[in-house]
Every structure is written in structure tokens, then in C-alpha cells.
Amino acid sequence: RLFQSILKRKKAAPLRERLAANPDRIIAATFKADPATHNPAQLAELHLQGIRLVRTLVKFIPNWLANNRPIVDCLIEIWNSPQRANRIAHEETMSLFQRTESKMLLKCFLNYCSFHKEEVDLLFHMLTIFTVRTVVDYTFMKDFYLQEVANNYSSSQKRLILTKFLMFFQEMGPSQSVSLPAQVAVPSMNPGMNPGMNQSMNPGMN
């Protein structure tokens, strides 16, 4: 934790740049630590420290993550893991720092998407945050879908989103709820949509 605090200091720019130049080392030391020498709790802690490290680097070097897809793949793997789903489902047992795991991941994903608007699949990965009850404030995610996607994505990018939405609908069938992908598809197709509609499409955040 002390190292992370030092990393955020203004004079720590040389240290941040050195870390940013070695993404493979970050992956090996945190996201891909050897399970033979670490128990599950230790691996989870290393993953969390890795996420925090990436988040810090992104704050100071905004385009760094956009140029390091292997790091993003590690973050997506953690996001989709049953272990993270279990942690957020029992966040009342977590420390305040541990509760920020999903929020830090989402902040990293949003940063990546700001440089790679073609990452439609990632938009849908992030939507799962709206299916859980949590004390963490995810208003910034609502704002992203209703403002950034709706107003700043190009027509071709919106077509990709709509295509993904239709594929999802076909896979799930008309009897299944499509409220989550609608968080992306509906606002992106209609920038003038009333933001108040977001509440009805977002039952998991009540």
C-alpha cells in the first residue's frame, strides 16, 4: 500500500514511467502470479494491487492502457471471473479498499474504450455491474452510456453496437430480459432519449 501511495506523488513520474515501460513485468507479478506459490487469498490480493497499479498509471498516463492490450485482457479475465462475482455479491464482508475492485476495473475499461470505440463487446461486459446491488456509486457508468455513447460515437460505431444488441437478443430469445444491452443500444441509437428512462432500465441499481 505504501508503494501505491508513493506512486501517486508528483515526483514519482520517473517511477511511473519505468513501470509503464514494463507491462509484462506487471502482468507476471500481479495478474499471472504463480498459484503454486500463492494461496487464493494471496492471488486475489495481488490481482487487486495490480488493478490499483493499472488505475494509477492510467490517471497519469491516459493513453498507456490503450497501447497495452495484454493488460486489458487480464482485467477482462478478472471482471468475468466467478471469484469477482462472488466478492461483489458479498461486499459487506469486504474492506473498503476491496469494495473498490469493480469500480477501478470499470474506470480502466472506460479509459480503454475512450481510445478504442470499436470495443463493443467490452461495453456489454461492463453492463453486468447493473445486475448487482451495491453501496458503491456507479453513476459514472450511467452517464457514460447515456452521454458518451449516445453523443460521441460515430454512425458506424453505433451500427456495431446495434448489431451486437440484435445478436444478444437472438441468443437470449424474446422471452428473456434485454434491459441490460438496451443500456447501450437504445441511448446510442437515440441521443435525444430522456435520461429519466435510465432508471426503468436499471433495476439492479435501486
Side-chain angles (χ1 to χ4, degrees):
R1 303 286 174 86
L2 177 60
F3 173 75
Q4 296 277 8
S5 297
I6 294 174
L7 197 61
K8 294 179 180 180
R9 295 179 180 176
K10 185 176 181 179
K11 294 182 179 180
L15 176 57
R16 290 192 295 268
E17 291 172 1
R18 184 174 180 179
L19 287 169
N22 292 278
D24 291 341
R25 183 172 296 180
I26 294 175
I27 292 173
T30 58
F31 304 126
K32 297 299 181 181
D34 188 357
T37 57
H38 299 83
N39 62 43
Q42 291 172 328
L43 288 174
E45 178 64 21
L46 286 173
H47 290 172
L48 188 58
Q49 293 298 334
I51 294 167
R52 187 179 184 186
L53 173 58
V54 171
R55 176 63 184 142
T56 298
L57 291 177
V58 165
K59 285 182 178 179
F60 288 93
I61 312 173
N63 66 341
W64 175 75
L65 190 59
N67 298 315
N68 285 282
R69 180 66 198 201
I71 292 281
V72 178
D73 288 338
C74 289
L75 298 180
I76 293 175
E77 183 177 351
I78 293 173
W79 180 263
N80 291 330
S81 70
Q83 291 85 0
R84 186 198 66 85
N86 183 66
R87 286 192 292 272
I88 197 170
H90 300 87
E91 69 176 14
E92 68 279 1
T93 67
M94 303 286 102
S95 68
L96 290 177
F97 175 53
Q98 290 171 325
R99 291 181 188 181
T100 65
E101 176 187 30
S102 293
K103 186 172 185 176
M104 288 191 294
L105 283 168
L106 288 169
K107 290 285 188 178
C108 291
F109 292 153
L110 292 184
N111 168 268
Y112 187 79
C113 286
S114 71
F115 290 93
H116 294 281
K117 289 186 171 64
E118 74 281 2
E119 283 287 338
V120 175
D121 285 347
L122 190 51
L123 294 180
F124 281 82
H125 281 306
M126 293 189 290
L127 281 173
T128 58
I129 196 61
F130 297 127
T131 67
V132 298
R133 293 187 179 277
T134 173
V135 299
V136 179
D137 183 9
Y138 289 106
T139 303
F140 67 94
M141 291 300 299
K142 297 180 183 179
D143 294 340
F144 173 77
Y145 288 121
L146 294 174
Q147 297 177 21
E148 175 66 19
V149 174
N151 298 317
N152 297 325
Y153 274 53
S154 69
S155 296
S156 61
Q157 290 160 347
K158 290 179 180 181
R159 282 194 293 271
L160 286 174
I161 293 172
L162 182 58
T163 298
K164 181 68 177 179
F165 172 75
L166 294 174
M167 289 174 60
F168 181 91
F169 183 82
Q170 291 173 350
E171 292 173 0
M172 296 299 292
S175 63
Q176 299 293 327
S177 172
V178 293
S179 63
L180 292 180
Q183 288 274 355
V184 173
V186 175
S188 68
M189 295 301 106
N190 182 13
M193 187 189 74
N194 182 358
M197 291 179 64
N198 185 61
Q199 188 66 28
S200 64
M201 293 194 302
N202 188 22
M205 294 296 288
N206 292 336

